[in-house]
Amino acid sequence: MYVGTLSFDLLLGDVRSLKEKRSVVRPIVAELHRKFAVSVAEVGDQDLYRRAEIGLAAVSGDPGHLTDLLDRCERFVAGRPEVELLSVRRRFHGAHDD
């Protein structure tokens, strides 16, 4: 079993309130879940209206498939015009980790 995680640090564009932030972040989270069948949530910076941290996790029996899935998720978020991707943290846990 292999587990992969991504943590996205995002800078939001023209957002002036937490309500506007939700209208930007929720569709990204929902689309990642729907399109890629991953577990995803806003995991940090909830009190800052121009920043967001989104966490994502996926499990697979094949490390190549998992790497490809994480790559596609990263490209999806990086391609969103309403956010600037500041950083991505990737972790990969394999069968031999203890």
Side-chain angles (χ1 to χ4, degrees), residues 33-48:
H33 178 71
R34 186 192 67 76
K35 188 172 184 177
F36 300 106
V38 295
S39 295
V40 59
E42 183 179 1
V43 296
D45 295 330
Q46 282 98 345
D47 57 336
L48 302 175

Side-chain angles (χ1 to χ4, degrees), residues 48-97:
L48 302 175
Y49 65 89
R50 291 213 54 226
R51 295 290 294 270
E53 183 180 353
I54 296 176
L56 176 150
V59 177
S60 177
D62 177 24
H65 174 329
L66 186 58
T67 300
D68 180 57
L69 176 64
L70 296 178
D71 289 344
R72 288 186 285 134
C73 291
E74 186 174 338
R75 282 193 301 272
F76 172 80
V77 173
R80 298 296 293 230
E82 68 272 25
V83 298
E84 180 181 342
L85 183 58
L86 298 177
S87 68
V88 179
R89 182 176 182 190
R90 181 182 293 223
R91 289 192 171 184
F92 197 86
H93 307 280
H96 301 295
D97 294 345

